[in-house]
């Protein structure tokens, strides 16, 4: 097995069944499009579409949807050798309603749990995780065992190497309660060097919703780069020596569900190329805005040429 990857991503996979009719509820929708999804999967695809080598670690159901997911992930440029099926389980299905510009209700069928909650530490490519330039994980992966222990094992092997990224990714449906999420994320903060989250996710992680206080609290925990998505105020990033903001980009939103994952993939791309903090944030912000103008998630992730052209128009990002 080839033990090389620019980015290793661990996390959930699902099958997105998104409506082909917008502005109506599920009870009125008559047809759906099928694509792969799940936050970690979308980030992996986004980074791969920008030209990076990416390995995804996850688990799927032992069913035709699981086979579809593995095949589609490979078709979109991601190494799928880290994806295995869980015997007797069904793959996760995600339906949504689309009410542009800012209402996209999700209905996720992963009860009582999901295959990606059965990622086992003894099956991880630990040497690859340790040496890859970027390792991306999400807080959702900490919500149950055995995947929580697998994440800790991966981080311990990596040893808080630079660009060990945690998407704070708080979704109440995956947790027993908010305190459980806070405790799990607090443990994770001892292992990671980059965090990405919105104001609500920062509140769960460190008890702060003010962007500056939240990033300061994250830096105090040993994080080297803290990124806070501030909604209509744009995005802010802080290190111990820099503070930069990227202003919101006005677009006609079709589906905002994939925007954050596009942000993540572009963030990985920029970090791999050593772009300045301002360029990094602007590029990631542009990726999110661009994908929000498209109807799906994984299939909406742009190529480098598409993103670069859009970024130049939005922020004046130089070629890199």
């Amino acid at each position: 097995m080839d033990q090389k990857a620019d980015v290793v991503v661990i996390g959930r996979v699902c099958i997105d069944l998104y409506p082909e009719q917008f502005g109506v509820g599920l009870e009125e929708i008559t047809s759906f499009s099928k694509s792969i999804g799940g936050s970690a999967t979308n980030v992996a695809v986004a980074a791969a579409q920008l030209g990076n080598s990416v390995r995804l670690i996850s688990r799927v159901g032992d069913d035709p949807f699981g086979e579809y997911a593995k095949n589609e992930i490979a078709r979109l440029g991601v190494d799928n050798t880290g994806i295995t099926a869980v015997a007797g389980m069904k793959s996760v299905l995600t339906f949504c309603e689309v009410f542009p510009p800012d209402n996209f209700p999700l209905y996720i069928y992963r009860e009582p749990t999901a295959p990606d909650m059965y990622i086992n530490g003894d099956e991880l490519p630990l040497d690859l995780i340790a040496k890859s330039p970027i390792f991306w994980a999400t807080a959702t992966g900490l919500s149950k065992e055995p995947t929580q222990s697998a994440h800790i094992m991966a981080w311990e092997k990596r040893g808080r190497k630079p660009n060990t990224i945690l998407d704070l990714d708080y979704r109440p449906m995956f947790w027993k309660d908010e305190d459980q999420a806070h405790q799990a994320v607090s443990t994770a903060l001892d292992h990671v060097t980059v965090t990405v989250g919105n104001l609500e996710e920062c509140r769960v992680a460190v008890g702060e919703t003010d962007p500056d206080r939240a990033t300061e609290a994250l830096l105090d925990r040993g994080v080297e780069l803290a990124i806070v998505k501030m909604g209509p105020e744009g995005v802010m990033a802080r290190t111990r020596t820099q503070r930069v903001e990227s202003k919101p980009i006005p677009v006609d939103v079709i589906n905002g569900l994939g925007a954050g994952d596009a942000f993540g993939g572009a963030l990985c791309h920029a970090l791999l190329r050593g772009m300045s903090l301002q360029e990094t944030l602007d590029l990631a912000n542009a990726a999110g805005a661009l994908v929000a103008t498209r109807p799906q998630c994984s299939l909406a992730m742009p190529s480098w040429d598409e993103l670069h052209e859009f970024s130049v128009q939005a922020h004046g990002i130089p070629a890199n």
Side-chain angles (χ1 to χ4, degrees), residues 111 140 143-144 169-178 180-181 200-201 203-204:
E111 298 296 338
T140 299
S143 60
K144 284 185 171 64
D169 186 38
Y170 175 62
R171 302 175 190 236
M173 68 185 77
F174 297 153
W175 300 89
K176 180 179 67 176
D177 53 39
E178 188 177 300
Q180 181 204 14
E200 172 70 0
E201 289 163 344
R203 183 188 65 80
V204 173

Side-chain angles (χ1 to χ4, degrees), residues 68-83:
Y68 162 75
K70 289 188 288 184
N71 292 339
E72 183 69 354
I73 285 164
R75 188 185 72 81
L76 292 173
V78 177
D79 183 344
N80 69 359
T81 54
I83 303 171

Side-chain angles (χ1 to χ4, degrees), residues 165-226:
I165 304 174
L166 178 66
D167 181 350
L168 297 176
D169 186 38
Y170 175 62
R171 302 175 190 236
M173 68 185 77
F174 297 153
W175 300 89
K176 180 179 67 176
D177 53 39
E178 188 177 300
D179 183 65
Q180 181 204 14
H182 169 74
Q183 295 299 329
V185 173
S186 182
T187 297
L189 291 177
D190 291 332
H191 299 279
V192 302
T193 58
V194 181
T195 58
V196 183
N198 60 32
L199 294 173
E200 172 70 0
E201 289 163 344
C202 288
R203 183 188 65 80
V204 173
V206 292
E208 300 286 356
T209 56
D210 175 81
D212 282 293
R213 289 199 298 268
T215 51
E216 184 175 354
L218 289 162
L219 294 173
D220 286 345
R221 292 296 307 273
V223 171
E224 296 172 0
L225 169 60

Side-chain angles (χ1 to χ4, degrees), residues 12-17 34-38 41 58-71 73 83-95 107-118:
R12 59 193 182 89
V13 175
C14 67
I15 311 302
D16 287 345
L17 296 168
K34 181 178 70 172
S35 59
I36 56 165
T41 298
S58 191
R59 305 202 73 182
V60 294
D62 183 20
D63 59 8
F65 278 126
E67 284 301 311
Y68 162 75
K70 289 188 288 184
N71 292 339
I73 285 164
I83 303 171
T84 58
V86 180
M89 291 198 73
K90 296 179 181 179
S91 297
V92 175
L93 303 181
T94 298
F95 295 84
Y107 304 87
I108 303 177
Y109 289 76
R110 53 183 284 136
E111 298 296 338
T113 186
D116 51 75
M117 292 290 101
Y118 288 88

Side-chain angles (χ1 to χ4, degrees), residues 139-305:
T140 299
L142 304 172
S143 60
K144 284 185 171 64
E145 293 288 2
T147 186
Q148 181 182 39
S149 293
H151 280 64
I152 299 297
M153 182 182 296
W155 286 323
E156 289 177 344
K157 178 69 174 181
R158 189 168 170 86
R160 215 171 197 184
K161 183 177 177 178
N163 295 334
T164 302
I165 304 174
L166 178 66
D167 181 350
L168 297 176
D169 186 38
Y170 175 62
R171 302 175 190 236
M173 68 185 77
F174 297 153
W175 300 89
K176 180 179 67 176
D177 53 39
E178 188 177 300
D179 183 65
Q180 181 204 14
H182 169 74
Q183 295 299 329
V185 173
S186 182
T187 297
L189 291 177
D190 291 332
H191 299 279
V192 302
T193 58
V194 181
T195 58
V196 183
N198 60 32
L199 294 173
E200 172 70 0
E201 289 163 344
C202 288
R203 183 188 65 80
V204 173
V206 292
E208 300 286 356
T209 56
D210 175 81
D212 282 293
R213 289 199 298 268
T215 51
E216 184 175 354
L218 289 162
L219 294 173
D220 286 345
R221 292 296 307 273
V223 171
E224 296 172 0
L225 169 60
I227 298 173
V228 179
K229 300 172 184 177
M230 303 183 294
E233 302 302 315
V235 190
M236 187 260 279
R238 281 184 65 183
T239 68
R240 291 177 181 83
T241 59
Q242 291 180 278
R243 181 191 186 280
V244 303
E245 291 189 21
S246 185
K247 298 300 182 184
I249 301 169
V251 295
D252 292 327
V253 175
I254 293 179
N255 183 358
L257 292 174
D261 303 329
F263 182 104
L267 172 64
C268 292
H269 183 84
L271 291 173
L272 286 167
R273 280 149 187 81
M275 297 173 71
S276 72
L277 185 56
Q278 187 68 63
E279 290 170 343
T280 296
L281 203 62
D282 284 344
L283 185 74
N285 193 21
L290 177 56
V291 167
T293 68
R294 298 174 173 181
Q296 293 171 313
C297 293
S298 61
L299 298 180
M301 301 305 172
S303 67
W304 169 249
D305 288 343

